[in-house]
Amino acid sequence: MKHIVTLIVVLGLLGGGYLVWRRQAQANVPGGALTRPTTALVIQTNISFAVNAAGEISPAEQVSVRPEINGRIEQLPVDIGDRVKKGDLLFKLDDKELQQQRASNLTAVERTRLELEKAERDHRRAAQLLAEKLISQELYDDTKTAYELAKNALDRAQKELAIVEERLTKTEVRAPFDCTVLTRPVSVGQAVSGSGGVSGGTEVLTIADLNSMVINAHVNQADVPRLKVNQVVEVTVEAVPGLSVTGVVERIAPQATIKNNIKGFAARILLRNVDPRIRPGMTANIKIPVASADNVAAVPLAAVFTERDPETGQFERFVYVQHDGTAEKRNVKVGVSDFFYAEIQSGLSAGEVVLLELPKEEREKKARQLAAQQKAAAGAAAQGARAGGEMTGRGGSGRGEGAPKGGPPPTPGAGKQSRPGGPTGRGEGGGRGR
């Protein structure tokens, strides 16, 4: 019993809903239907046309920090998001081995200096003895050679010490400018390779100056001629609703590239007064102003018609002005236009009424012209088909007349009755010939 009651209630609700929908549908029949306007007023307004492009925000200065020498991370005082001043320590490598090598080189330098002093004393003494002819020239030359070798040894030891000290300075890496840490893929104690290796070294940090941001945009090739270096553009950021900043076109690539199957040119736009909410990697929309006109007479784009003059061969633009139920065709000069309105530089004045579609007479005229063109095209096609059939008939009669010698003469009129035959393409005339 409960199921039956429930079924009756559901059917009643469905029936009531259907009746309500039917009444609303009847109320929205043509008497209350919305119709699109067919006329418009010439108004005074401001028109501006701009080209839109999209790009990705990135820092103007971004550096991948890598050590110059191999080593192990001993200190890493910064982390992601930290703001670092110029000259502050970013990370330090373990330098115990280099310190020991430096101490060894210092000892070597001191030893070679003592050897040089001894060789110098021996050389002076040998020079005195040679002057008194107490030693041979050969012994003097040996002391001189030992002295020169001692000088070379000292010079080599000093250079080796300088190399080790230079390597020690590379164990500390400091910030080259005021920056913010973007990434830190390594940790303290991890072994890293120097940038002089084949792999280019291990990336320890990525830093960037977030006070100077740029947009790398891809501008369509049709819009690039309107873009100029140092041109001011308007920038909006999708991730920050309501934020609008200005930018300056810094560079335009000379070579076109294809991105997302669209050929265009890479453009670099420098942001002014960077908002702290803007982060690298956000998508920015760029509005490039092309042309503008203030307080000018304008009409909707649908009111302007374009037609080629058959006499001059040039395209002319015109509108239809409504006067007391009649339409007057009037040529106009169009200036700046956007996606909705077109500036009328001459030919119209504010307050006049223009049509948004062709007048009825013009539409009927266009329809008659189109029908005549279609009829002429159909006639030409039919005439071509008949001409093709006659050519085929002549070909069949020719084959019929070409009967072997000694055969019966061709029947008069056989060529006229010929028609394309079967797969061989011969007509009846050909059969009589055989």
Side-chain angles (χ1 to χ4, degrees):
M1 186 65 181
K2 291 183 180 179
H3 295 292
I4 296 175
V5 173
T6 304
L7 181 61
I8 294 173
V9 171
V10 171
L11 292 175
L13 291 175
L14 291 175
Y18 174 76
L19 291 176
V20 172
W21 172 81
R22 188 66 179 269
R23 289 178 182 177
Q24 290 179 351
Q26 292 177 354
N28 292 331
V29 289
L34 295 177
T35 58
R36 65 184 185 88
T38 58
T39 60
L41 281 175
V42 182
I43 61 174
Q44 294 286 133
T45 185
N46 300 330
I47 298 177
S48 62
F49 179 68
V51 174
N52 295 323
E56 185 174 305
I57 299 175
S58 60
E61 297 292 340
Q62 180 171 324
V63 178
S64 174
V65 185
R66 304 165 187 260
E68 295 186 57
I69 60 175
N70 300 335
R72 182 177 58 84
I73 300 293
E74 183 180 24
Q75 296 180 25
L76 190 57
V78 297
D79 205 345
I80 297 175
D82 290 349
R83 296 183 180 272
V84 184
K85 294 293 183 181
K86 180 180 180 179
D88 289 351
L89 180 66
L90 295 178
F91 65 90
K92 184 178 183 299
L93 300 178
D94 184 8
D95 61 352
K96 294 183 179 65
E97 183 178 350
L98 290 176
Q99 291 289 358
Q100 294 174 357
Q101 189 175 352
R102 178 176 179 273
S104 176
N105 288 119
L106 284 173
T107 303
V109 169
E110 186 64 24
R111 184 183 68 252
T112 53
R113 182 178 290 111
L114 294 175
E115 291 175 350
L116 177 61
E117 292 176 356
K118 178 180 180 298
E120 185 179 5
R121 290 195 302 269
D122 292 343
H123 177 61
R124 287 199 301 266
R125 187 179 303 111
Q128 293 176 358
L129 294 174
L130 179 63
E132 296 175 359
K133 297 183 180 182
L134 297 176
I135 59 173
S136 63
Q137 182 67 34
E138 182 181 358
L139 291 177
Y140 171 77
D141 292 340
D142 291 342
T143 57
K144 183 178 180 182
T145 301
Y147 174 62
E148 296 294 335
L149 291 175
K151 288 197 297 184
N152 291 341
L154 177 61
D155 184 62
R156 183 173 63 253
Q158 289 175 341
K159 289 181 179 179
E160 291 176 353
L161 176 62
I163 291 174
V164 173
E165 290 178 343
E166 175 67 19
R167 289 172 63 86
L168 277 171
T169 61
K170 295 178 180 179
T171 58
E172 292 186 357
V173 178
R174 300 185 176 273
F177 49 82
D178 294 346
C179 59
T180 302
V181 180
L182 301 182
T183 62
R184 197 205 72 174
V186 301
S187 301
V188 175
Q190 182 172 339
V192 294
S193 59
S195 58
V198 178
S199 63
T202 305
E203 182 180 275
V204 179
L205 300 169
T206 302
I207 59 175
D209 182 9
L210 300 187
N211 296 321
S212 179
M213 307 283 277
V214 296
I215 302 173
N216 296 311
H218 186 75
V219 183
N220 193 299
Q221 59 178 346
D223 303 325
V224 165
R226 303 185 179 99
L227 198 63
K228 299 178 182 178
V229 177
N230 296 327
Q231 183 177 359
V232 179
V233 298
E234 182 181 343
V235 179
T236 57
V237 182
E238 293 182 355
V240 188
L243 177 63
S244 179
V245 297
T246 58
V248 179
V249 179
E250 189 177 39
R251 292 185 181 275
I252 303 173
Q255 176 67 38
T257 56
I258 297 177
K259 186 176 181 181
N260 297 330
N261 294 328
I262 297 175
K263 182 176 287 188
F265 292 79
R268 178 184 169 102
I269 298 168
L270 179 64
L271 290 180
R272 290 179 173 177
N273 303 323
V274 180
D275 190 279
R277 293 174 290 178
I278 297 179
R279 302 290 182 93
M282 289 183 175
T283 300
N285 296 318
I286 306 159
K287 189 176 182 181
I288 306 168
V290 176
S292 62
D294 298 331
N295 195 25
V296 294
V299 296
L301 292 179
V304 181
F305 300 91
T306 303
E307 192 174 48
R308 185 174 183 178
D309 190 346
E311 297 180 358
T312 62
Q314 296 181 351
F315 288 93
E316 60 180 12
R317 293 182 176 181
F318 55 90
V319 298
Y320 289 98
V321 184
Q322 190 177 46
H323 286 296
D324 299 329
T326 61
E328 174 194 354
K329 182 179 178 181
R330 191 182 299 176
N331 291 339
V332 294
K333 184 178 180 181
V334 179
V336 180
S337 61
D338 57 11
F339 296 106
F340 305 101
Y341 284 89
E343 176 196 2
I344 304 301
Q345 296 179 343
S346 63
L348 287 176
S349 58
E352 291 186 296
V353 179
V354 295
L355 299 182
L356 299 179
E357 59 184 17
L358 290 173
K360 182 179 179 181
E361 298 79 6
E362 290 292 331
R363 293 200 301 270
E364 293 175 352
K365 181 180 177 182
K366 296 284 186 185
R368 288 194 298 269
Q369 291 176 352
L370 181 60
Q373 291 176 359
Q374 292 177 348
K375 185 176 180 181
Q383 185 177 2
R386 288 196 297 270
E390 293 178 0
M391 292 297 295
T392 305
R394 293 192 184 96
S397 63
R399 287 190 295 271
E401 293 172 0
K405 291 182 179 181
T411 305
K416 294 181 181 179
Q417 296 176 358
S418 64
R419 61 181 181 272
T424 62
R426 295 187 176 90
E428 294 178 2
R432 294 188 181 94
R434 290 191 299 271

